[in-house]
Structures are given as C-alpha cells and as structure tokens.
Amino acid sequence: MKNRTKRISALLIGMGALAVSAQNPIIQTKYTADPAPMVYNDTIFLYTTHDEDDADGFKMLDWLLYTSTDMVNWTDHGVVASLENFPWRQRDNGAWAEHVIARNGKFYMYCPLHGNGIGVLVADSPYGPFRDPLGKPLVWQKEHWEDIDPSVFIDDDGQAYMYWGNPNVYYVKLNEDMISYSGDIVRLEENPEHYQEGPWFYKRNGKYYLAFASTCCPEGIGYAMSNSPTGPWMTRGYIMRPTERSRGNHPGVIDYKGRSYVFGLNYDLMHLETFEHHERRSVSVAEMHYNPDGTIREVPYWQDTKLEQIENFNPYRRVEAETMAWGYGLKTEKLDGGGICVTRIDDCDTLVVKGVDFGSGAGRFIASVASEAGNCGIEVRLDSAEGALVGTLNVEATGGSDRYREFSCAVDGAKGVHDLVFRFKGNGRKNLMNWDWWKFVEQ
Ligand code: FUB
C-alpha cells in the first residue's frame, strides 16, 4: 500500500481537511477485514483479518488486533495469530473471518482456515499469545467448503453456541471447555432471507439476533431475530442496505459505553488508489440504534455516517505512536524487542489523533524515535495539517533505524481539546524515522 504514487499522497495532503475529519475506514496502515469486536475490561478489542497489500483475490495469512476506548483512536497491536498457529492445515492461504470470546479468564479465538475447517486457539490474555490446544480442527465438514465465519456466543445459562457457514447456516453447542462440542452439527432448514455469510450471533434484552452479510454482491448487512438461540429465525431487514459503492461486507455488533455499534467492511481505502477490484478491504464502524421492540434502525453507508468520539484523549501519558485516528500512507511493524512502531514515514506524511484534551496547556513534547536519516522532524499542529504549529521536534540521526532515542521540544499554544496532527518534515525525503512512543508534559 505504501508504494502508492506521489500523486495520491499529494492529493491527500492537499485534502488535509479530509484526512483530519475522516473516521472511516478506522484502520489505514493495513488492509483489514472481517471485524470481530470484543468488549473486555472497558476496552474494545477489535480482531480483524488482514488482506495483504498486494492481494488480488483473497490473500490472507494472519489475524490482527486493534484496541480503543473512544471509538476513533485505535492502537495497533499487530499480528496476534497466523496460519502458522495451525501446523495441521493443508493450505498456505485462507486465514478468514475469526471470532474471539472470553470465558473463565481465557480467550478463545475461532479461526476458519478456508477449505480446512475451523480451528480454535486459546490465550490467557486478549493480546495473546494464542496457541492451538487441539492440534486439529474443531469442525471440518470435508464434503464442502462451507465451514467459514464462526460466531460464538455464551447464553445466560452458560450454554455456548457457534454459528457459521456460507451459503448454509450451521450451529453447534460448544462444551464449557469451549474447544469441544456436544450433539450434532445442525444445518438451519431455512436461511434468513438474503443470508450469504458472516453470521454474528448475540443476545440483547432477552432477544436473540443473527446479523449477517446479505446476498453477494454487493453485500449489505441483514439481520434476523428469534426468541430462542436455535431459531426459528425471523428476518427483520437490513442494518445496512447493499450499495454499489462497495462489494463485500461482514458484521460485528457490540454495545459499548451505553451506545450500540455495527462494524463492517468496505473498499474505500483501496478506492483512494484504484477502482479495479482486488480483495483489499478496510474495517469501518457506525453507531446504530434499536427501536423499542428490539428491531434495528437502518444505518446509512459508512461514509454517510458520523462517528462520535466518546471520550477525550489524554496526551499526558506514554502513548504508543501506533495509536491514531488517521494515518494513511504510514505503516506499522513489530519492534525487535516486542511492541510496534510507526514506520515508512516520509516528508509531509501526517498522523492524526482526535479529540486530545490538553487541559490548561502543554509545555513540552517528548518522543522516542529512531532515525537513520537524521535532519528531519515532527511538527506538532492543531486541528489540521495546516493548523496552528505549537511545537517542532527536531530529530537527529540516532545511529540506525532501530536505535531509539528520546527527543523533546517546547510546546506553546496547545490548550483545551483539539485534533492533534503530527506532520513529518524531511525535505522531500522518504523513510525519515521509526517512531515508538510520545507524550506531552503539562506547562
Ligand atoms: O475475508 C474472507 C471472507 O470474506 C470472510 O470469511 C467472509 O465473511 C468474507 O468477508
């Protein structure tokens, strides 16, 4: 994705207002798909699949994790599991739509390996590491390739269910260990109307919901409701109608901090470069609303929604640089000693953190940066790429792109709540620095 033309970068910089105000897609440093949001300990853990930058058809090798507490600024935690976790698989592609759920202090990740059934991984932390406790698929109906898109839900009585499938819908009752099941795999006799794939099974106010990607293509997000976890399912309509503006979709639905959200996917980031079709998708999210009878009000297409930041961002603590609302053109990668850094930083690139509360005023800015190039810097601006310049961090060569050093600069004029825009300077050069973390110090 970074090899986009100069023309596109220039276009985006010229459209600084778009870069700062855009909220969808929520991840711009990689292509992400198949959102599986999980609320745990006041944080949203957003697990996604990963379309490779050069994907033409589906080229999917690993699963990623992002977290947020405000819905618009997301921290990248990198790859949390990959095909390598499943040595028994027979294919080197097919890390399709996963789902993660917590039970009894453990975290279970259900992973379809397209064409090789559905495996399960377990971890002691939502960040991983995840390992395969079975050494074989949890489910594999070898007579077809329909075992994709698992969605797991634990009912109030402790019974866990896994729904999955394209084009048929299957479910099975999972045992309390979450890595085995009892009874037969059941295929629904009748699909909800418009069902294609990507079931998202949940319960809210005593009613069961099955959201799903609607008939391809383009796919919208449909949903059905039931009074029982095993149906019968009554189709209730669309959460999001299909539109020619996109192609695939895949729902993830949560309640968080008193609001309800639907996650899905689109091709809008790829469309900044090309309208030729490739499977290079991006996760988006919108707030959604329930009617008093439990039905869901239709949500417009992602780009026609406005996502509100639900709490201000605190800059007076160590912030991982890979935390951003917008960072198109940048990439993230794993640091040698663990952790993630922002990389592929070129002259005039920007990184935006939204809704930052500077309170009565910031006095200093500190950043941990590694730079081979040196003679570059980070402008600290407010609200847009051309907004008020409140500080300039000069970065010297540190002796290598993995040799991190702290640099700091004075800040003047950063008070109250603003979008924070870091604009990189380097006299037209590329690969200026790698960036690990930053923080502000109050005046
Ligand atoms: O991402 C691969 C496949 O595409 C998913 O499993 C489907 O839901 C569709 O999003």
Side-chain angles (χ1 to χ4, degrees):
M1 186 172 12
K2 180 69 177 184
N3 291 335
R4 64 187 49 81
T5 60
K6 270 281 200 195
R7 189 177 59 78
I8 295 294
S9 298
L11 185 70
L12 273 173
I13 291 154
M15 296 165 72
L18 167 71
V20 172
S21 65
Q23 289 148 322
N24 277 317
I26 54 176
I27 311 297
Q28 309 87 31
T29 52
K30 290 190 178 80
Y31 290 114
T32 55
D34 307 320
M38 174 182 78
V39 178
Y40 183 75
N41 276 354
D42 230 26
T43 296
I44 301 179
F45 290 81
L46 173 63
Y47 300 88
T48 73
T49 54
H50 177 196
D51 290 335
E52 294 292 321
D53 284 359
D54 62 351
D56 190 3
F58 291 115
K59 184 176 177 189
M60 304 173 71
L61 314 178
D62 46 30
W63 293 275
L64 310 175
L65 171 63
Y66 300 85
T67 56
S68 179
T69 55
D70 64 18
M71 292 305 298
V72 300
N73 296 301
W74 293 88
T75 303
D76 186 334
H77 300 274
V79 171
V80 285
S82 78
L83 293 175
E84 303 298 315
N85 286 81
F86 300 102
W88 45 263
R89 86 202 127 77
Q90 296 165 4
R91 301 182 65 233
D92 289 331
N93 193 356
W96 280 24
E98 78 304 337
H99 189 199
V100 179
I101 192 165
R103 184 166 205 169
N104 298 332
K106 297 217 180 292
F107 300 84
Y108 297 89
M109 179 184 274
Y110 298 85
C111 301
L113 302 144
H114 189 219
N116 287 182
I118 297 172
V120 57
L121 301 174
V122 63
D124 294 327
S125 150
Y127 300 99
F130 286 90
R131 63 180 179 84
D132 177 0
L134 295 177
K136 61 177 185 176
L138 171 63
V139 159
W140 189 1
Q141 304 175 90
K142 290 191 175 163
E143 63 278 17
H144 54 63
W145 284 41
E146 296 186 5
D147 295 332
I148 65 164
D149 297 355
S151 173
V152 175
F153 167 72
I154 305 167
D155 208 347
D156 303 332
D157 62 2
Q159 178 62 60
Y161 300 83
M162 181 168 82
Y163 271 80
W164 75 96
N166 172 353
N168 289 300
V169 189
Y170 302 88
Y171 74 82
V172 76
K173 289 184 177 178
L174 295 179
N175 295 329
E176 198 178 344
D177 65 9
M178 301 298 276
I179 58 169
S180 62
Y181 61 86
S182 296
D184 292 332
I185 293 173
V186 179
R187 190 178 101 181
L188 291 194
E189 277 174 21
E190 205 180 330
N191 277 6
E193 203 182 339
H194 305 306
Y195 177 90
Q196 179 69 57
E197 59 185 0
W200 184 267
F201 177 42
Y202 67 103
K203 187 181 190 180
R204 192 174 185 277
N205 293 341
K207 297 180 193 327
Y208 297 89
Y209 292 80
L210 202 61
F212 50 84
S214 62
T215 323
C216 192
C217 285
E219 293 177 339
I221 298 175
Y223 78 106
M225 292 173 68
S226 178
N227 292 321
S228 140
T230 55
W233 291 99
M234 184 188 286
T235 307
R236 301 311 298 250
Y238 287 106
I239 300 176
M240 182 177 287
R241 283 187 182 271
T243 161
E244 293 299 332
R245 292 159 78 181
S246 195
R247 185 182 158 97
N249 220 325
H250 185 112
V253 178
I254 53 166
D255 282 351
Y256 183 61
K257 295 186 176 170
R259 302 182 192 213
S260 300
Y261 295 96
V262 57
F263 291 73
L265 60 85
N266 57 45
Y267 298 73
D268 292 339
L269 200 70
M270 182 187 77
H271 288 165
L272 292 173
E273 294 181 37
T274 177
F275 280 85
E276 196 179 307
H277 183 72
H278 307 281
E279 294 300 347
R280 298 177 198 166
R281 301 160 295 169
S282 297
V283 167
S284 286
V285 61
E287 191 171 352
M288 67 178 211
H289 299 275
Y290 292 86
N291 295 311
D293 65 356
T295 56
I296 299 170
R297 285 190 234 153
E298 271 185 32
V299 175
Y301 184 64
W302 310 108
Q303 295 296 359
D304 302 334
T305 62
K306 173 143 178 47
L307 189 62
E308 273 180 46
Q309 182 167 352
I310 52 181
E311 63 187 31
N312 290 334
F313 192 93
N314 172 12
Y316 298 118
R317 57 179 167 141
R318 173 178 158 141
V319 178
E320 296 304 317
E322 61 276 13
T323 300
M324 62 188 88
W326 196 259
Y328 183 73
L330 305 172
K331 302 298 282 180
T332 57
E333 69 181 22
K334 218 170 172 179
L335 286 161
D336 278 348
I340 308 277
C341 71
V342 176
T343 187
R344 309 279 279 278
I345 297 174
D346 301 341
D347 182 44
C348 284
D349 278 347
T350 54
L351 186 157
V352 180
V353 182
K354 286 188 80 79
V356 176
D357 187 358
F358 291 102
S360 56
R364 268 200 107 62
F365 173 63
I366 304 171
S368 174
V369 176
S371 176
E372 178 108 51
N375 191 23
C376 54
I378 306 174
E379 289 181 350
V380 182
R381 291 183 178 266
L382 302 182
D383 300 321
S384 80
E386 281 77 37
L389 177 65
V390 295
T392 301
L393 186 85
N394 294 315
V395 174
E396 298 156 14
T398 61
S401 57
D402 56 353
R403 304 283 293 270
Y404 283 84
R405 243 181 73 191
E406 286 179 29
F407 295 89
S408 82
C409 68
V411 174
D412 188 19
K415 285 192 179 102
V417 179
H418 294 274
D419 292 342
L420 170 61
V421 181
F422 297 115
R423 185 171 177 168
F424 304 96
K425 302 301 289 173
N427 300 316
R429 289 171 298 154
K430 289 177 173 292
N431 294 318
L432 301 174
M433 63 186 92
N434 290 337
W435 192 5
D436 188 6
W437 58 264
W438 57 266
K439 69 177 178 187
F440 286 84
V441 179
E442 282 174 273
Q443 256 169 3

